[in-house]
mmCIF file of all heavy atoms in Angstrom:
data_model
loop_
_atom_site.group_PDB
_atom_site.id
_atom_site.type_symbol
_atom_site.label_atom_id
_atom_site.label_comp_id
_atom_site.label_asym_id
_atom_site.label_seq_id
_atom_site.Cartn_x
_atom_site.Cartn_y
_atom_site.Cartn_z
ATOM 1 N N GLY A 1 -42.706 -122.270 51.484
ATOM 2 C CA GLY A 1 -42.415 -121.352 52.558
ATOM 3 C C GLY A 1 -41.391 -120.354 52.136
ATOM 4 O O GLY A 1 -40.429 -120.047 52.854
ATOM 5 N N ALA A 2 -41.579 -119.785 50.934
ATOM 6 C CA ALA A 2 -40.609 -118.862 50.330
ATOM 7 C C ALA A 2 -40.797 -117.392 50.811
ATOM 8 O O ALA A 2 -41.907 -116.897 50.668
ATOM 9 C CB ALA A 2 -40.652 -118.966 48.821
ATOM 10 N N GLU A 3 -39.764 -116.824 51.296
ATOM 11 C CA GLU A 3 -39.731 -115.382 51.612
ATOM 12 C C GLU A 3 -38.606 -114.847 50.770
ATOM 13 O O GLU A 3 -37.413 -114.980 51.023
ATOM 14 C CB GLU A 3 -39.428 -115.149 53.097
ATOM 15 C CG GLU A 3 -40.522 -115.662 54.027
ATOM 16 C CD GLU A 3 -41.807 -114.818 53.965
ATOM 17 O OE1 GLU A 3 -41.683 -113.635 53.492
ATOM 18 O OE2 GLU A 3 -42.895 -115.334 54.290
ATOM 19 N N TYR A 4 -38.954 -114.130 49.683
ATOM 20 C CA TYR A 4 -38.002 -113.755 48.641
ATOM 21 C C TYR A 4 -37.037 -112.700 49.039
ATOM 22 O O TYR A 4 -37.340 -111.773 49.772
ATOM 23 C CB TYR A 4 -38.765 -113.355 47.343
ATOM 24 C CG TYR A 4 -39.717 -114.354 46.866
ATOM 25 C CD1 TYR A 4 -41.091 -114.105 46.848
ATOM 26 C CD2 TYR A 4 -39.296 -115.616 46.458
ATOM 27 C CE1 TYR A 4 -42.006 -115.048 46.410
ATOM 28 C CE2 TYR A 4 -40.200 -116.590 45.984
ATOM 29 C CZ TYR A 4 -41.554 -116.289 45.988
ATOM 30 O OH TYR A 4 -42.409 -117.240 45.548
ATOM 31 N N ASP A 5 -35.814 -112.837 48.464
ATOM 32 C CA ASP A 5 -34.809 -111.757 48.568
ATOM 33 C C ASP A 5 -34.652 -111.007 47.288
ATOM 34 O O ASP A 5 -34.354 -109.820 47.281
ATOM 35 C CB ASP A 5 -33.435 -112.380 48.937
ATOM 36 C CG ASP A 5 -33.489 -113.071 50.311
ATOM 37 O OD1 ASP A 5 -33.697 -112.320 51.312
ATOM 38 O OD2 ASP A 5 -33.252 -114.285 50.408
ATOM 39 N N PHE A 6 -34.866 -111.719 46.135
ATOM 40 C CA PHE A 6 -34.749 -111.074 44.819
ATOM 41 C C PHE A 6 -35.853 -111.594 43.911
ATOM 42 O O PHE A 6 -36.293 -112.709 44.075
ATOM 43 C CB PHE A 6 -33.391 -111.360 44.162
ATOM 44 C CG PHE A 6 -32.185 -110.990 44.995
ATOM 45 C CD1 PHE A 6 -31.379 -111.979 45.541
ATOM 46 C CD2 PHE A 6 -31.838 -109.699 45.149
ATOM 47 C CE1 PHE A 6 -30.291 -111.658 46.260
ATOM 48 C CE2 PHE A 6 -30.750 -109.319 45.961
ATOM 49 C CZ PHE A 6 -29.961 -110.337 46.473
ATOM 50 N N ILE A 7 -36.226 -110.772 42.976
ATOM 51 C CA ILE A 7 -37.169 -111.201 41.929
ATOM 52 C C ILE A 7 -36.503 -111.018 40.583
ATOM 53 O O ILE A 7 -36.044 -109.938 40.210
ATOM 54 C CB ILE A 7 -38.469 -110.364 41.936
ATOM 55 C CG1 ILE A 7 -39.023 -110.193 43.321
ATOM 56 C CG2 ILE A 7 -39.495 -110.988 40.997
ATOM 57 C CD1 ILE A 7 -39.532 -111.458 43.981
ATOM 58 N N ALA A 8 -36.338 -112.141 39.802
ATOM 59 C CA ALA A 8 -35.702 -112.080 38.524
ATOM 60 C C ALA A 8 -36.775 -112.046 37.427
ATOM 61 O O ALA A 8 -37.807 -112.777 37.527
ATOM 62 C CB ALA A 8 -34.792 -113.272 38.332
ATOM 63 N N HIS A 9 -36.495 -111.252 36.372
ATOM 64 C CA HIS A 9 -37.506 -111.129 35.300
ATOM 65 C C HIS A 9 -36.750 -110.888 34.006
ATOM 66 O O HIS A 9 -35.554 -110.690 33.929
ATOM 67 C CB HIS A 9 -38.463 -109.958 35.625
ATOM 68 C CG HIS A 9 -37.749 -108.603 35.779
ATOM 69 N ND1 HIS A 9 -37.417 -107.843 34.682
ATOM 70 C CD2 HIS A 9 -37.366 -107.963 36.850
ATOM 71 C CE1 HIS A 9 -36.796 -106.759 35.109
ATOM 72 N NE2 HIS A 9 -36.760 -106.780 36.423
ATOM 73 N N ASP A 10 -37.548 -110.874 32.900
ATOM 74 C CA ASP A 10 -37.001 -110.680 31.586
ATOM 75 C C ASP A 10 -36.548 -109.211 31.402
ATOM 76 O O ASP A 10 -37.035 -108.324 32.086
ATOM 77 C CB ASP A 10 -38.059 -110.992 30.517
ATOM 78 C CG ASP A 10 -37.465 -111.103 29.114
ATOM 79 O OD1 ASP A 10 -37.079 -112.212 28.735
ATOM 80 O OD2 ASP A 10 -37.405 -110.101 28.410
ATOM 81 N N LEU A 11 -35.598 -109.017 30.530
ATOM 82 C CA LEU A 11 -35.031 -107.707 30.272
ATOM 83 C C LEU A 11 -36.061 -106.772 29.609
ATOM 84 O O LEU A 11 -35.975 -105.572 29.789
ATOM 85 C CB LEU A 11 -33.845 -107.825 29.324
ATOM 86 C CG LEU A 11 -33.013 -106.597 29.001
ATOM 87 C CD1 LEU A 11 -32.384 -105.994 30.270
ATOM 88 C CD2 LEU A 11 -31.909 -106.922 28.008
ATOM 89 N N HIS A 12 -37.069 -107.369 28.934
ATOM 90 C CA HIS A 12 -38.052 -106.481 28.237
ATOM 91 C C HIS A 12 -38.898 -105.689 29.249
ATOM 92 O O HIS A 12 -39.574 -106.281 30.101
ATOM 93 C CB HIS A 12 -38.978 -107.353 27.383
ATOM 94 C CG HIS A 12 -39.699 -106.566 26.315
ATOM 95 N ND1 HIS A 12 -40.517 -105.537 26.567
ATOM 96 C CD2 HIS A 12 -39.707 -106.712 24.948
ATOM 97 C CE1 HIS A 12 -41.010 -105.028 25.446
ATOM 98 N NE2 HIS A 12 -40.526 -105.757 24.428
ATOM 99 N N PRO A 13 -38.870 -104.351 29.137
ATOM 100 C CA PRO A 13 -39.521 -103.550 30.189
ATOM 101 C C PRO A 13 -41.041 -103.609 30.087
ATOM 102 O O PRO A 13 -41.718 -103.274 31.085
ATOM 103 C CB PRO A 13 -39.028 -102.144 29.905
ATOM 104 C CG PRO A 13 -38.639 -102.139 28.450
ATOM 105 C CD PRO A 13 -38.147 -103.518 28.149
ATOM 106 N N GLN A 14 -41.622 -103.980 28.928
ATOM 107 C CA GLN A 14 -43.048 -103.952 28.749
ATOM 108 C C GLN A 14 -43.772 -105.244 28.980
ATOM 109 O O GLN A 14 -44.984 -105.329 28.896
ATOM 110 C CB GLN A 14 -43.389 -103.379 27.345
ATOM 111 C CG GLN A 14 -42.858 -101.981 27.064
ATOM 112 C CD GLN A 14 -43.424 -100.988 28.083
ATOM 113 O OE1 GLN A 14 -44.581 -100.993 28.483
ATOM 114 N NE2 GLN A 14 -42.515 -100.130 28.563
ATOM 115 N N PHE A 15 -42.998 -106.328 29.168
ATOM 116 C CA PHE A 15 -43.679 -107.611 29.423
ATOM 117 C C PHE A 15 -44.532 -107.534 30.697
ATOM 118 O O PHE A 15 -44.168 -106.916 31.688
ATOM 119 C CB PHE A 15 -42.652 -108.738 29.620
ATOM 120 C CG PHE A 15 -42.076 -109.323 28.350
ATOM 121 C CD1 PHE A 15 -42.494 -108.862 27.118
ATOM 122 C CD2 PHE A 15 -41.172 -110.348 28.396
ATOM 123 C CE1 PHE A 15 -41.966 -109.416 25.934
ATOM 124 C CE2 PHE A 15 -40.657 -110.903 27.250
ATOM 125 C CZ PHE A 15 -41.059 -110.411 26.023
ATOM 126 N N LEU A 16 -45.681 -108.169 30.635
ATOM 127 C CA LEU A 16 -46.588 -108.200 31.836
ATOM 128 C C LEU A 16 -45.927 -108.962 32.951
ATOM 129 O O LEU A 16 -46.122 -108.638 34.127
ATOM 130 C CB LEU A 16 -47.919 -108.802 31.470
ATOM 131 C CG LEU A 16 -48.812 -108.036 30.517
ATOM 132 C CD1 LEU A 16 -50.163 -108.723 30.346
ATOM 133 C CD2 LEU A 16 -49.059 -106.586 31.026
ATOM 134 N N SER A 17 -45.067 -109.935 32.599
ATOM 135 C CA SER A 17 -44.345 -110.694 33.642
ATOM 136 C C SER A 17 -43.328 -109.754 34.311
ATOM 137 O O SER A 17 -43.076 -109.878 35.552
ATOM 138 C CB SER A 17 -43.656 -111.912 33.051
ATOM 139 O OG SER A 17 -42.760 -111.573 31.989
ATOM 140 N N THR A 18 -42.711 -108.864 33.563
ATOM 141 C CA THR A 18 -41.790 -107.892 34.144
ATOM 142 C C THR A 18 -42.524 -106.937 35.111
ATOM 143 O O THR A 18 -42.020 -106.663 36.197
ATOM 144 C CB THR A 18 -41.053 -107.102 33.056
ATOM 145 O OG1 THR A 18 -40.348 -107.929 32.176
ATOM 146 C CG2 THR A 18 -40.158 -106.008 33.609
ATOM 147 N N ARG A 19 -43.649 -106.450 34.694
ATOM 148 C CA ARG A 19 -44.471 -105.567 35.551
ATOM 149 C C ARG A 19 -44.886 -106.320 36.818
ATOM 150 O O ARG A 19 -44.903 -105.732 37.880
ATOM 151 C CB ARG A 19 -45.719 -105.085 34.735
ATOM 152 C CG ARG A 19 -45.357 -104.237 33.572
ATOM 153 C CD ARG A 19 -46.614 -103.727 32.867
ATOM 154 N NE ARG A 19 -46.304 -103.121 31.609
ATOM 155 C CZ ARG A 19 -47.229 -102.578 30.804
ATOM 156 N NH1 ARG A 19 -48.504 -102.652 31.111
ATOM 157 N NH2 ARG A 19 -46.870 -102.009 29.634
ATOM 158 N N TYR A 20 -45.258 -107.580 36.664
ATOM 159 C CA TYR A 20 -45.637 -108.405 37.809
ATOM 160 C C TYR A 20 -44.497 -108.518 38.776
ATOM 161 O O TYR A 20 -44.680 -108.387 39.984
ATOM 162 C CB TYR A 20 -46.130 -109.772 37.311
ATOM 163 C CG TYR A 20 -46.312 -110.790 38.404
ATOM 164 C CD1 TYR A 20 -47.083 -110.516 39.533
ATOM 165 C CD2 TYR A 20 -45.747 -112.062 38.271
ATOM 166 C CE1 TYR A 20 -47.257 -111.487 40.514
ATOM 167 C CE2 TYR A 20 -45.919 -113.023 39.273
ATOM 168 C CZ TYR A 20 -46.654 -112.716 40.399
ATOM 169 O OH TYR A 20 -46.834 -113.649 41.349
ATOM 170 N N ALA A 21 -43.311 -108.767 38.272
ATOM 171 C CA ALA A 21 -42.115 -108.869 39.102
ATOM 172 C C ALA A 21 -41.852 -107.577 39.876
ATOM 173 O O ALA A 21 -41.553 -107.611 41.094
ATOM 174 C CB ALA A 21 -40.850 -109.212 38.272
ATOM 175 N N LYS A 22 -42.046 -106.474 39.211
ATOM 176 C CA LYS A 22 -41.822 -105.185 39.867
ATOM 177 C C LYS A 22 -42.906 -104.882 40.896
ATOM 178 O O LYS A 22 -42.593 -104.273 41.969
ATOM 179 C CB LYS A 22 -41.705 -104.068 38.847
ATOM 180 C CG LYS A 22 -40.430 -104.218 37.992
ATOM 181 C CD LYS A 22 -40.259 -103.094 37.027
ATOM 182 C CE LYS A 22 -38.889 -103.263 36.285
ATOM 183 N NZ LYS A 22 -38.635 -102.177 35.275
ATOM 184 N N GLU A 23 -44.117 -105.329 40.645
ATOM 185 C CA GLU A 23 -45.177 -105.213 41.623
ATOM 186 C C GLU A 23 -44.846 -105.894 42.907
ATOM 187 O O GLU A 23 -44.983 -105.383 44.038
ATOM 188 C CB GLU A 23 -46.505 -105.723 41.049
ATOM 189 C CG GLU A 23 -47.159 -104.867 40.026
ATOM 190 C CD GLU A 23 -48.399 -105.542 39.474
ATOM 191 O OE1 GLU A 23 -48.912 -106.507 40.135
ATOM 192 O OE2 GLU A 23 -48.878 -105.151 38.374
ATOM 193 N N ILE A 24 -44.397 -107.145 42.755
ATOM 194 C CA ILE A 24 -44.037 -107.950 43.949
ATOM 195 C C ILE A 24 -42.905 -107.254 44.687
ATOM 196 O O ILE A 24 -42.900 -107.099 45.931
ATOM 197 C CB ILE A 24 -43.562 -109.376 43.575
ATOM 198 C CG1 ILE A 24 -44.690 -110.137 42.874
ATOM 199 C CG2 ILE A 24 -43.160 -110.162 44.825
ATOM 200 C CD1 ILE A 24 -44.271 -111.480 42.351
ATOM 201 N N ALA A 25 -41.876 -106.834 43.940
ATOM 202 C CA ALA A 25 -40.682 -106.224 44.540
ATOM 203 C C ALA A 25 -41.078 -104.939 45.299
ATOM 204 O O ALA A 25 -40.625 -104.701 46.432
ATOM 205 C CB ALA A 25 -39.678 -105.907 43.481
ATOM 206 N N GLU A 26 -41.929 -104.103 44.658
ATOM 207 C CA GLU A 26 -42.303 -102.838 45.315
ATOM 208 C C GLU A 26 -43.141 -103.083 46.552
ATOM 209 O O GLU A 26 -42.982 -102.397 47.560
ATOM 210 C CB GLU A 26 -43.110 -101.994 44.295
ATOM 211 C CG GLU A 26 -42.203 -101.413 43.217
ATOM 212 C CD GLU A 26 -43.031 -100.716 42.111
ATOM 213 O OE1 GLU A 26 -44.264 -100.572 42.320
ATOM 214 O OE2 GLU A 26 -42.428 -100.363 41.077
ATOM 215 N N SER A 27 -44.036 -104.092 46.503
ATOM 216 C CA SER A 27 -44.850 -104.387 47.671
ATOM 217 C C SER A 27 -44.073 -104.943 48.843
ATOM 218 O O SER A 27 -44.490 -104.776 50.007
ATOM 219 C CB SER A 27 -45.965 -105.334 47.281
ATOM 220 O OG SER A 27 -45.418 -106.645 47.007
ATOM 221 N N LYS A 28 -42.931 -105.585 48.598
ATOM 222 C CA LYS A 28 -42.148 -106.192 49.668
ATOM 223 C C LYS A 28 -40.801 -105.513 49.854
ATOM 224 O O LYS A 28 -40.003 -105.918 50.696
ATOM 225 C CB LYS A 28 -41.887 -107.658 49.294
ATOM 226 C CG LYS A 28 -43.175 -108.521 49.228
ATOM 227 C CD LYS A 28 -42.856 -109.948 48.941
ATOM 228 C CE LYS A 28 -44.130 -110.797 48.798
ATOM 229 N NZ LYS A 28 -44.814 -110.898 50.090
ATOM 230 N N GLY A 29 -40.540 -104.415 49.117
ATOM 231 C CA GLY A 29 -39.276 -103.683 49.267
ATOM 232 C C GLY A 29 -38.087 -104.490 48.821
ATOM 233 O O GLY A 29 -37.049 -104.450 49.491
ATOM 234 N N LEU A 30 -38.230 -105.252 47.718
ATOM 235 C CA LEU A 30 -37.155 -106.118 47.264
ATOM 236 C C LEU A 30 -36.463 -105.574 45.986
ATOM 237 O O LEU A 30 -37.013 -104.698 45.346
ATOM 238 C CB LEU A 30 -37.715 -107.531 46.928
ATOM 239 C CG LEU A 30 -38.483 -108.223 48.052
ATOM 240 C CD1 LEU A 30 -39.033 -109.511 47.561
ATOM 241 C CD2 LEU A 30 -37.520 -108.455 49.245
ATOM 242 N N GLU A 31 -35.313 -106.089 45.684
ATOM 243 C CA GLU A 31 -34.566 -105.744 44.514
ATOM 244 C C GLU A 31 -34.963 -106.669 43.366
ATOM 245 O O GLU A 31 -35.222 -107.875 43.572
ATOM 246 C CB GLU A 31 -33.068 -105.865 44.788
ATOM 247 C CG GLU A 31 -32.190 -105.293 43.728
ATOM 248 C CD GLU A 31 -30.730 -105.258 44.122
ATOM 249 O OE1 GLU A 31 -30.438 -105.521 45.319
ATOM 250 O OE2 GLU A 31 -29.857 -105.045 43.224
#
């Protein structure tokens, strides 16, 4: 039942996991 406040990701800007984190954040308006 998680409603996120923050998404943490690796420092590497090109990792697919980093891009995934930013996708979630952008879709939900998160930091």
Side-chain angles (χ1 to χ4, degrees):
E3 296 290 338
Y4 304 115
D5 295 299
F6 305 109
I7 313 294
H9 59 82
D10 194 89
L11 184 63
H12 199 301
Q14 298 303 318
F15 277 1
L16 292 183
S17 57
T18 299
R19 296 181 189 180
Y20 169 51
K22 291 184 176 180
E23 284 175 19
I24 300 174
E26 288 172 9
S27 68
K28 298 181 181 293
L30 303 176
E31 189 173 348

